[in-house]
Amino acid sequence: SAPFILAVYNQGDYDAEDYETELVNAILSNQEEDGSWNEFGTIDTTANVIAGLSFYKEREEVKTVIDKALNYLSSQQNEDGTFSDNFNGANANSTAMVITALCAAGADPINDTRFIKNDTNIIDGLLSFLVEDGSGFGHTDNKGVNPGATEQAFRALIAFMNVAKTNKAYNVYDFSNNELTPARAISNSSSSSAPS
């Protein structure tokens, strides 16, 4: 959850710099020697951590750790451009999570040579899971639509399209430039007062 907590703290001014620094330092100190993190599989966890740390990539020590993690991911990429997790083999979800991480870190998924294997880039790898009618993505093949794989692939493609359009890093977990409208909870009960 740490990468997502960091993303949340970067959506506004929450006066939490000390906690953010403590959390970033804890993440940095938990990186494995090979450059990965391992909570629920090294590929997905490492990709999520990169996305969370990318909010702090202007810090030299964070940039160094992200580069090491990207090199680890490059070493784990399959020859067909895909990524495997520790449970299902090559799959759209892990491939999509790595694309999301690359985009957040400012790496170009199509042109970064670390992520091109046998003239096949990671976007090609993700698209190999697209079902024939284009209605979604399969999890481990392209025979039927898997909702989780489709959602993660869609998220990755949004990130990639923004990087391709702007030539700048794009983090799908960063909503800080969106206009926020204050809201409050309301009650569906018969009570006339709003909950505190």
Side-chain angles (χ1 to χ4, degrees):
S1 61
F4 301 108
I5 293 169
L6 292 176
V8 169
Y9 277 125
N10 279 274
Q11 303 316 300
D13 184 10
Y14 299 106
D15 194 28
E17 289 79 13
D18 290 344
Y19 181 65
E20 290 175 64
T21 298
E22 188 176 325
L23 193 52
V24 167
N25 289 339
I27 292 170
L28 298 183
S29 69
N30 281 295
Q31 187 178 37
E32 301 288 336
E33 187 61 37
D34 63 5
S36 70
W37 286 268
N38 187 4
E39 182 179 1
F40 49 87
T42 57
I43 301 302
D44 293 53
T45 302
T46 302
N48 281 324
V49 170
I50 291 169
L53 286 177
S54 71
F55 290 100
Y56 307 89
K57 64 182 180 257
E58 73 283 350
R59 299 180 188 176
E60 192 57 41
E61 70 278 14
V62 173
K63 181 184 180 316
T64 300
V65 164
I66 288 174
D67 286 342
K68 185 175 182 180
L70 290 173
N71 289 333
Y72 166 78
L73 290 174
S74 172
S75 76
Q76 299 301 303
Q77 187 177 19
N78 298 321
E79 294 299 310
D80 62 358
T82 65
F83 279 83
S84 301
D85 64 18
N86 296 65
F87 316 103
N88 302 297
N91 66 85
N93 302 64
S94 296
T95 305
M97 292 308 298
V98 173
I99 293 168
T100 300
L102 294 178
C103 294
D108 182 337
I110 286 188
N111 296 309
D112 189 320
T113 57
R114 293 175 293 183
F115 296 94
I116 300 172
K117 307 290 190 267
N118 290 328
D119 295 324
T120 304
N121 63 52
I122 190 174
I123 298 295
D124 296 326
L126 179 62
L127 293 177
S128 72
F129 297 103
L130 182 65
V131 298
E132 188 175 331
D133 69 0
S135 62
F137 288 79
H139 177 53
T140 59
D141 58 34
N142 60 358
K143 305 300 182 215
V145 173
N146 176 283
T150 300
E151 185 278 323
Q152 286 187 305
F154 185 65
R155 192 184 324 160
L157 291 174
I158 289 171
F160 166 65
M161 292 305 295
N162 277 281
V163 169
K165 184 170 52 175
T166 65
N167 291 318
K168 295 180 182 174
Y170 182 84
N171 193 327
V172 296
Y173 305 114
D174 187 359
F175 305 101
S176 60
N177 288 329
N178 294 357
E179 185 176 328
L180 302 177
T181 304
R184 66 178 177 90
I186 58 171
S187 172
N188 288 330
S189 73
S190 60
S191 170
S192 62
S193 62
S196 60

